[in-house]
Amino acid sequence: MSTWTVPRIKEMKGRQKIACLTAADYATARLIDGAGVQLVLVGDSLAMTVLGYETTLPVTMGEMLHHTAAVARGVTNALVVADMPFMSYQAAVEEALANAGRFLKESNAQAVKIEGGTIRGPLVRAFVANGIPVLGHIGLTPQSVHEMGGYKVQGKVTGEAQALLLDAKELALAGVFAVVLECVPAALAREITDAIPVPTIGIGAGADCDGQILVTNDMLGFRSGISPRFVKQYASIGEQMATAFEEYRKEVEGGLFPSEENCY
Ligand code: KIV
């Protein structure tokens, strides 16, 4: 049993901010866990950051189970949450339950994340009733990129903001242990945080959420393309890797590697 259980994460609301990061592999998960981060999400953003897909939509159950198992092997203390891929939970409750169960049974995750608000109430109830803890996710929900017409801040107009507040309340009532708020105005995130009894985990949602999450590749500077404004880059790993690869190539070409000390 990990140190950071679902009840402990819930109890952190109002006491201590919750630090969360994504991971997709064993080595990174070990480092994140060793740093004391409380929740590790195997986010379906790995579709883009690790697998090179254009959106999160193509990633499969098989791929998510594989990456979740690798992450879980690297984690001792943090809570491991698996993102359910697009169309693994939307079509039917029975299918969703069977798929969610696989993350706990085969990949050693302790909870799953699903996108969507009020519409997911019945599904959250079914998961929780069957012992599967759920992390909600509202605001910018990348699996609905085509419906939203792109990756845009959500809840900027009154009607949208009210709908998101209702979504958060319904998810909390249904039994989620926390809710990710992605790309919503900071004032709305604060209102939602004050209105629900479970922690909010913000990404591009301001400083008043109960916790924060970033995509690890983004915060490490290990990503092609432009980072969204809400990402703070804590390292430039991509640049360091590119420099190392080039130096290696030059040394091999120039006969400098391997040297005496690298030989038997
Ligand atoms: O897939 C992901 O990495 C996520 C986070 C951005 C919350 O859903």
Side-chain angles (χ1 to χ4, degrees):
M1 182 69 76
S2 63
T3 311
W4 290 102
T5 59
V6 164
R8 277 197 71 194
I9 295 283
K10 277 168 84 174
E11 282 165 15
M12 285 174 85
K13 189 176 175 89
R15 293 184 190 178
Q16 193 198 315
K17 297 271 187 183
I18 308 164
C20 316
L21 282 172
T22 68
D25 66 275
Y26 167 79
T28 309
R30 266 189 76 158
L31 291 172
I32 291 172
D33 191 53
V37 166
Q38 291 99 9
L39 186 153
V40 178
L41 170 71
V42 188
D44 64 353
S45 57
L46 71 78
M48 295 177 286
T49 57
V50 175
L51 300 177
Y53 293 122
E54 206 174 311
T55 68
T56 59
L57 304 193
V59 75
T60 63
M61 271 298 295
E63 286 164 335
M64 290 304 295
L65 286 166
H66 170 84
H67 285 281
T68 304
V71 167
R73 284 191 288 271
V75 170
T76 310
N77 295 313
L79 186 81
V80 176
V81 182
D83 223 350
M84 295 197 65
F86 180 58
M87 289 321 292
S88 68
Y89 59 94
Q90 288 93 337
V93 174
E94 286 76 13
E95 190 189 5
L97 262 174
N99 283 329
R102 292 187 70 191
F103 283 107
L104 275 66
K105 217 172 150 74
E106 297 171 32
S107 298
N108 230 359
Q110 285 126 18
V112 297
K113 177 166 84 57
I114 57 175
E115 295 183 4
T118 307
I119 192 175
R120 302 285 174 238
L123 194 53
V124 171
R125 285 183 173 86
F127 280 8
V128 174
N130 286 285
I132 302 171
V134 188
L135 175 60
H137 182 161
I138 58 173
L140 195 170
T141 45
Q143 291 178 6
S144 304
V145 58
H146 298 307
E147 176 64 29
M148 294 181 304
Y151 300 104
K152 301 171 185 165
V153 177
Q154 303 293 303
K156 284 210 286 195
V157 293
T158 314
E160 262 179 36
Q162 280 311 310
L164 283 172
L165 181 60
L166 288 177
D167 283 338
K169 286 181 176 171
E170 171 54 21
L171 286 174
L173 263 180
V176 296
F177 71 88
V179 185
V180 171
L181 304 179
E182 180 165 352
C183 283
V184 300
L188 174 61
R190 190 180 318 125
E191 196 181 343
I192 293 174
T193 301
D194 289 343
I196 63 172
V198 295
T200 55
I201 310 293
I203 174 162
D208 291 318
C209 294
D210 298 301
Q212 297 291 328
I213 187 162
L214 284 175
V215 173
T216 292
N217 282 31
D218 291 349
M219 62 88 82
L220 290 180
F222 183 31
R223 170 193 171 103
S224 50
I226 303 157
S227 270
R229 173 174 147 187
F230 59 77
V231 174
K232 178 170 174 185
Q233 215 177 291
Y234 287 82
S236 302
I237 299 294
E239 270 171 43
Q240 281 182 270
M241 286 171 76
T243 306
F245 296 149
E246 201 179 325
E247 204 177 315
Y248 166 75
R249 175 189 54 80
K250 283 181 184 158
E251 288 199 357
V252 170
E253 286 173 357
L256 292 167
F257 176 83
S259 66
E260 278 291 293
E261 66 195 38
N262 309 118
C263 297
Y264 297 106

